[in-house]
Structure formats: structure tokens, C-alpha cells
Amino acid sequence: MDFYYSLAQIIGFHALLGLSAYVVLLTGQVSLAQAGFFAIGAYVAAMFTVLAGWHLVPAMLAAGLAAAAMACIVGFPALRVRGLMLVIATLAFGEAVRLFFFNFDYQVAKGEVKVGPLGGEGFRQIRWFPEHGWTGLDVMLFVWTVVALVAGALWWLDRSRFGAVLRAVGEDELAAQSVGLNLTAVKVTAMTIGGFIAGLGGAIYAHYTTHIEHSNFGVLLATFAIAYPILGGLRNVLGTIVAVIFVQGFLVEGLRFLGDWRNLLFGALIVLAMNLRPNGLIDAATARRLARLFGREARRA
Amino acid sequence: MRRTGLLLSSALVAVIGLCGTAAAQERAVIIKGFGAKSGVVRSFGINSEAAMRAAADAINSQGGVKLGDGTIGKIDVEFLDDRCTAEEGISVVRRIAAGPALVAIGPGCSNVAEPLFGVLQRKAGDASDSGLQFPIFTDVAIKGGLAKISEWAFRNVPSEIDMYNALFTWLKTKNPELKTIFAGVEENFAHSRASWYAVMKEAAPKVGLEVKGEAKWLLEDTNFAQQVREIKAASPDILAIAAHPFTTCGVLKEMRRQGVKVKLLVGLTSSSSMETLQGCAREAEGIVIPTSFAPVTKEAEAAAAQAAKFNGSLDLHSAAAYENIFILKKVIEEQGVLAKPDTVQADREKIRKGLAALKETDGLLGKSKRTEDREAVKPYMYVHAKDGKWAVLFNPLTN
């Protein structure tokens, strides 16, 4: 069973990464900076639990806030550009963050050993979960509580006036501006929320792997982050989560038994899924069907 | 007619019964391998898998493993790809630990080994630590000092510190005219980086070599023009290339293109493999590398031939995978492992204890010593590329 708990944890922190990109995508912006925010969250949370001895929850919140602050700072200049220029700008930011951690040394003596980030060697012994006796089930429940809270908050946000504002900016910037919306404020807010969520995801990731290094947060991770909401569809948060389950649960783990063929099938199946479901795995029609189904069930109950 | 039929039926039942009894007396001893079978370092996984299968085949054909209750166990090997990523490595081992495997051999990449060992229980038997209780016996990941992370982690990899200290001392004795050293480092690969900064860069000044700096590149790089210009500008006597075969060959080819020559090339342990010679035999001519494997003994020759049957080649990494299977056979027999479905966790604990108790193991080049922190001190030699083949330059064991 432990393996399935572990898989659920992986799906959990990837879901947070995907949801962080989902918020930004609602405003029509394609950001490749999410891996950078994820990295900031991972390093900040790990430093608080390992070096300062904090409990994981406040460390995660601090990580989320640090990533959100960085997203806000980056958001202002980056979101002044659009389309491909924004993709390049956010990609450059992600790489800058990665290279920062590649050169970041901050080790302190803890007993006989030194702990903390050590540049390219990485940051080892982030063992908060096992050291506090958390079982695989405990960690899985914790991760999915965080995912549920974030997904629930985004679901609510989507149905609020602010959600409508986000989608309005995403649909047509000119129209949104002509009705008096401050585009920069809306986009930077979305970027900040996305940064916070990515920071939370990174914090969990660091404590899952127990060792982080700059290479974990490269372009591939940034691509996955943006691929989840695009593959899942932007109709609602469920699409992103379904896409993460499809990629991490099915393509990465489910097909492992295929050995070398798995890598060949990986890309082909993503292309196939996008062709069969061009509007996302959970498109508008599916979302309506699900809503009708659950609405009927709720009425019956 | 009826009598004949009855006799035939009885004989058939007896044969089936005998076969059944024989099958019941044979048990599968499941050992899983894992490592990179895709990406730039996929050769690690391919060769390790071949070596493990070859060793298992050799043991099984010689009668198998004698289990604690007297039955015979046959080693069953399966190999899983972790794509050289920490996340997948952890996932693969959790998958393996959830099944009937008694022990796992791997991983290939140090950047997987480090997080993976962190997931294991740090001190065996510590009830307050909920880390994974599953023995890992590493064959390839060579970055120094990793096994001390967990008491469930064991390694059969050579000590690069010992090998490069000895190599530089020997080189300086043989070639006193060599004064300076410059390095090319694959910066984003844990092993390559550690091998230069923590091993070679420390060892070189001890024998009076002046370190003139380093040029840096990444594992995925394909263009080395700038780095080779840096090498040319430094004009060192020795160029140490702390990189894997793929980029080692890229740099050597670029050096040839730019006409850059040095007096001596020193390579990374992992590059003493066939991939280097397949990729750039001409450019690598003369490169000196310390290694813990070369087919210089009868056992090593036989093992290399056996691995070739399984479509792999033995090098210092895969040779360790081959040795690990034999070491595990010995531990399983000594510790009375039962390999029954209901004794899996107890068997894993026995294997952990057995591996921890080892002071010495048999290897393809001779005896290896085991250290307190679960590492190996393996015999080694220096090889150099000569006429498209690896040839032994100096063997401390025979000199």
C-alpha cells in the first residue's frame, strides 16, 4: 500500500504545481516561471525545517509567502510583455532561480555534520516526515488536504467576481481594459496567487524527496507545470488534477512495466490525448455532464 | 487395455507429483535492479541489468541459493528504469519494497542515490523514524560517502579518493616533468562535480601539481568551443576531464578540431567504459583512468563473457552489479533467509544485518574490504586507451 500512498503524494505536489500555472493561465498568460517558484518554496521550507527546526506547516506557509513575494516582484516587469515574449521572460526567470540555487551555499553545523544548501551538491537530509514518525498514509492525507484546500479555494475564486475578472482578462484584454479593469493589477495578482501555490507544492516536494538540487527545477518541470492545465482544460480546477493523474499516475507509473517503450509512448499518448480532447480532458461538455450528475446525486441525497 | 490405461494414468500422476514436489522445493529469490535505462546515461542501466542477469544465470545454473530451511532458491532478477531522476528513483524503490523483493541493487545516478537513501530509515530499528526499511545495495552511484546516510544503504563502489590520490602520486613519480593541472567539469552531474572538486582538486596539490582552474559544461551540452578555448589558454600539462563519456568525447573532439594538445589526459572513473571508445577512440588515445574493473583475471574474463551474452558490457559499474549478486547469495545463505511470502520483511532485515556484518567480500579483481559506514574499499588499477581498447597501464595488485 505504501507505494500507492507515495504515488498519491507525487500526484499531490504535481497537482499544486499545475494549479499554480492554472491561475496564471486564466488571465491568458503562459508562464514558465512556476518551476522557479516551486524551487523557492522547496528551498525556503527545507531551510526552515532543517536549519531552524520549524514545524512543517509554518515552514510551508513561509515558503508559499516567499514564492508569492517573488512572483509579485517578477510579475510587474514580466507581465508588461505578452505572448512569446512573456514565455521567454518567465523561462529566463526560472533559469535564473535555478542558477541561483546552483551557487547558493548556506551550511550550518548541526552536531558533527554540516547541513543546508551546498550549491551544485544540493541540500540533503530534509527528513521532517520520517523524523516525526509520519507514515506514508499520514503524509498522503496531509498532501491531499493541502491540495483540497487549494483546489477548493480556486474553485470558489473561479465562481467569484474576481474569477470572472481573471477570465475576462484571459478572454479579451482590450475588452477587459475598456470596461475599466486594471490589467497589470489583475495579472500580477494571478501571478502572486500562482507563486504561493507553487511555493506550497515545492515545500512538499522537498520533504518528499529529502534531497533537492538545482537540476530538479529545470525547463522540464516548467513545461510539465504548464502542460497540466492545458492538457486538463481550463474549464475548472478538476481538469488540471485529472491531467496530473493521467501523466504521473498513468504515463509515468502505470506504463513503467513497458520498460524502454514507456518513453516512446509517453509523448505519443500526450499528443493523442490532446487530439482526442482538444479542449482539455475536462472540457465544457464534460464539466456540464459532471455537474448534472453530481447535482442529481446531491438532489437525490 | 483398461489395465494399461490405469498404469499409464498412475505413471502420469506420479510424474506430475514429482515435478510438483521439485517445484515446491525451489523458491524464487527476488532481487530487483533499478537505474537509468533512458537518457544520456542509459548505458549504466543496460550494462547493470545485463551483469545482474548474467550473475543470476551463473548462480542458478550452478544449483541456485541454499535457503534457511534447506530448500533451493533460484535468483529472479527484474530491472526497472528510474530515468536518473530522484522522484522516479524513490517511486521505483517504494514500488519494489511493496512487493516480494528481498533487496534492490541500484541506482545508477548519485543524484538519485542521495535522496533515495534519505527516504530510508536512518538508524535500523529506530521506532521513532518512519523511513523505509528496505536494503539497497548500490552498484553504480559513486559520489563519495553516501551510504552513511542510512543504515539500510550499502555500496560496492570504489573509493575515488583512494584511486585518484594513488594515481596522481604514481603519475608524478613516473613523470616528474608534469607541473600543472586544469580540469573540465560536467557541472550539473553530482558525481562529476564531486570527483573534481572533492577528489581530484584535493589530490593534485598533495603531489605538487599546480591547479590552474577549470572549464565547466553541462551533461546535456553539445558544443564545447568556449571550454576548449579556456583549456588552450590555461595550457596545462595535465587535463583532468571530470565528465561522463558523452561529453568527454565532445570535448576531446573539439580539442582535436582546435588543435589543442596536453601532455596527459586523466579521465573520470565512469568514462573507463566502452562508450568512450565507441564515441571517440582516436581522440581519447592515451587517456589515463583509475578503475576497479578490467578483464585481467580469469573470473573477470568469464564474467565479461557472461555479461556479453545478455547484451551488456562489464565496466567498473556493471562489474559491481555482477559482484553484488554473488555477495547477496553468500549473505542469504549465511543468514538463513527463507524467501517465503510471509517472511519478506524478516528476510530483508536478515540481509541488512548480513551486509552490515561483512568485513571482506570476493570481487572479480580480488578481495574488497568493507568499511564501518557500509562502503567498499575495492582493488583498482590504472587503464589507458590504446589502439581503441582499454589496456592496463599499471596494476598495483601485481606490482
Side-chain angles (χ1 to χ4, degrees):
Chain A
M1 227 25 217
D2 203 45
F3 163 67
Y4 293 101
Y5 297 150
S6 168
L7 181 58
Q9 292 163 31
I10 293 175
I11 292 171
F13 58 72
H14 276 273
L16 290 172
L17 181 66
L19 290 174
S20 80
Y22 167 83
V23 191
V24 184
L25 270 173
L26 285 183
T27 64
Q29 311 304 307
V30 178
S31 162
L32 287 178
Q34 305 314 111
F37 305 138
F38 196 76
I40 292 168
Y43 274 87
V44 170
M47 286 175 75
F48 278 123
T49 56
V50 176
L51 304 182
W54 282 24
H55 188 280
L56 180 64
V57 174
M60 277 177 65
L61 288 173
L65 291 173
M70 185 53 79
C72 184
I73 294 166
V74 170
F76 275 104
L79 295 176
R80 293 176 77 87
V81 292
R82 281 191 287 178
L84 290 175
M85 290 291 274
L86 179 66
V87 172
I88 300 299
T90 50
L91 180 66
F93 167 76
E95 278 299 283
V97 170
R98 189 183 66 74
L99 289 171
F100 170 79
F101 288 119
F102 182 49
N103 293 291
F104 180 52
D105 290 355
Y106 184 76
Q107 289 216 305
V108 295
K110 219 177 174 187
E112 288 176 4
V113 290
K114 280 189 161 184
V115 289
L118 182 62
E121 300 276 311
F123 185 170
R124 68 159 74 157
Q125 295 290 296
I126 310 165
R127 300 188 76 251
W128 196 90
F129 286 134
E131 280 174 359
H132 287 78
W134 285 38
T135 62
L137 177 64
D138 296 337
V139 180
M140 185 200 75
L141 291 174
F142 174 74
V143 172
W144 276 91
T145 303
V146 176
V147 174
L149 286 173
V150 168
L154 290 180
W155 184 279
W156 168 79
L157 188 84
D158 229 357
R159 274 142 192 81
S160 69
R161 187 180 174 279
F162 183 66
V165 167
L166 291 179
R167 287 186 183 275
V169 172
E171 288 292 324
D172 190 334
E173 282 192 11
L174 200 61
Q177 201 169 22
S178 66
V179 296
L181 293 178
N182 182 338
L183 292 188
T184 307
V186 173
K187 287 181 191 173
V188 171
T189 307
M191 190 78 148
T192 307
I193 295 170
F196 181 77
I197 298 169
L200 292 181
I204 294 173
Y205 170 79
H207 290 83
Y208 169 82
T209 60
T210 76
H211 175 275
I212 48 175
E213 57 181 53
H214 69 102
S215 60
N216 303 146
F217 309 103
V219 178
L220 187 64
L221 188 69
T223 313
F224 268 119
I226 204 77
Y228 295 140
I230 292 174
L231 184 62
L234 294 176
R235 182 70 192 174
N236 59 43
V237 292
L238 282 181
T240 302
I241 295 173
V242 168
V244 174
I245 293 170
F246 174 67
V247 173
Q248 295 296 329
F250 175 63
L251 295 183
V252 175
E253 273 309 325
L255 299 183
R256 195 180 292 284
F257 73 96
L258 291 176
D260 295 348
W261 289 97
R262 179 179 63 142
N263 297 317
L264 290 173
L265 274 176
F266 193 94
L269 285 174
I270 286 184
V271 172
L272 187 69
M274 286 182 135
N275 272 283
L276 291 175
R277 312 283 297 177
N279 296 315
L281 294 172
I282 305 285
D283 58 7
T286 315
R288 269 198 302 277
R289 271 199 294 276
L290 284 172
R292 268 203 301 275
L293 180 70
F294 286 107
R296 203 179 301 148
E297 291 297 320
R299 277 196 298 279
R300 227 178 263 166
Chain B
M1 192 66 190
R2 186 183 287 174
R3 209 165 157 193
T4 316
L6 270 172
L7 276 171
L8 275 172
S9 307
S10 307
L12 196 64
V13 168
V15 168
I16 291 168
L18 279 172
C19 290
T21 313
Q25 282 172 349
E26 265 182 19
R27 228 171 269 153
V29 176
I30 299 170
I31 298 175
K32 298 267 183 175
F34 66 106
K37 272 182 75 182
S38 39
V40 180
V41 289
R42 69 191 293 266
S43 61
F44 287 174
I46 290 167
N47 290 335
S48 279
E49 181 179 8
M52 285 173 64
R53 289 193 187 281
D57 184 58
I59 290 169
N60 291 340
S61 59
Q62 286 163 21
V65 187
K66 195 174 179 195
L67 298 171
D69 57 1
T71 52
I72 295 299
K74 295 285 183 186
I75 295 177
D76 182 357
V77 168
E78 194 196 347
F79 197 94
L80 298 171
D81 180 18
D82 66 14
R83 291 206 273 204
C84 196
T85 67
E87 215 176 296
E88 287 206 33
I90 292 170
S91 199
V92 161
V93 168
R94 286 200 186 275
R95 178 189 278 260
I96 292 171
L102 303 182
V103 57
I105 294 176
C109 300
S110 298
N111 62 304
V112 176
E114 210 159 353
L116 178 62
F117 294 171
V119 169
L120 302 175
Q121 190 180 50
R122 185 182 286 166
K123 284 192 180 302
D126 179 359
S128 68
D129 188 333
S130 61
L132 195 61
Q133 296 171 40
F134 183 75
I136 307 278
F137 196 14
T138 298
D139 53 341
V140 180
I142 197 172
K143 184 180 168 187
L146 294 187
K148 66 182 171 200
I149 295 174
S150 165
E151 289 185 1
W152 290 87
F154 300 86
R155 296 204 305 174
N156 183 30
V157 301
S159 163
E160 287 199 329
I161 294 177
D162 292 348
M163 289 199 293
Y164 282 100
N165 274 331
L167 174 66
F168 285 144
T169 307
W170 182 79
L171 284 175
K172 191 68 182 161
T173 312
K174 288 280 172 194
N175 309 283
E177 74 281 5
L178 299 173
K179 305 278 185 212
T180 59
I181 183 167
F182 188 83
V185 191
E186 206 170 52
E187 279 280 303
N188 64 337
F189 203 87
H191 167 215
S192 316
R193 227 183 111 79
S195 296
W196 168 245
Y197 292 103
V199 180
M200 288 189 247
K201 199 173 180 179
E202 298 285 323
K206 287 181 194 164
V207 296
L209 289 168
E210 183 198 343
V211 178
K212 295 193 81 176
E214 54 265 331
K216 302 165 185 176
W217 60 81
L218 306 177
L219 184 66
E220 305 80 17
D221 280 354
T222 51
N223 187 322
F224 306 94
Q226 178 57 32
Q227 289 86 349
V228 170
R229 276 195 282 276
E230 288 176 45
I231 294 167
K232 191 176 185 177
S235 184
D237 295 332
I238 301 174
L239 174 65
I241 304 179
H244 289 80
F246 183 70
T247 64
T248 294
C249 281
V251 167
L252 291 175
K253 285 179 177 173
E254 181 62 26
M255 283 174 69
R256 183 164 159 265
R257 196 182 70 79
Q258 292 191 27
V260 178
K261 285 183 180 163
V262 291
K263 288 180 186 162
L264 185 72
L265 286 168
V266 172
L268 184 70
T269 48
S270 299
S271 289
S272 64
S273 63
M274 285 314 293
E275 285 74 41
T276 307
L277 298 182
Q278 283 160 0
C280 55
R282 190 157 60 132
E283 292 81 1
E285 184 75 12
I287 192 170
V288 179
I289 303 181
T291 180
S292 58
F293 179 78
V296 291
T297 62
K298 211 184 281 177
E299 293 83 2
E301 268 178 31
Q306 184 85 355
K309 284 188 204 160
F310 287 85
N311 304 318
S313 68
L314 279 201
D315 53 31
L316 87 159
H317 295 313
S318 51
Y322 189 92
E323 291 171 351
N324 283 10
I325 295 281
F326 278 91
I327 294 168
L328 285 170
K329 174 188 184 281
K330 190 177 169 217
V331 167
I332 287 167
E333 288 178 342
E334 283 176 359
Q335 294 293 317
V337 166
L338 295 172
K340 288 181 176 173
D342 56 341
T343 61
V344 171
Q345 195 51 42
D347 288 340
R348 290 171 180 174
E349 178 60 37
K350 283 179 184 172
I351 289 174
R352 192 203 67 75
K353 279 188 181 155
L355 285 171
L358 290 174
K359 301 286 177 210
E360 201 176 65
T361 57
D362 291 321
L364 293 170
L365 293 192
K367 300 274 184 197
S368 294
K369 284 194 169 47
R370 301 289 308 169
T371 68
E372 288 292 309
D373 53 3
R374 299 170 295 285
E375 301 278 1
V377 180
K378 302 184 77 169
Y380 55 82
M381 65 189 66
Y382 316 136
V383 293
H384 65 158
K386 195 178 175 192
D387 301 327
K389 287 180 184 167
W390 290 112
V392 177
L393 181 63
F394 180 71
N395 186 350
L397 298 170
T398 54
N399 286 276

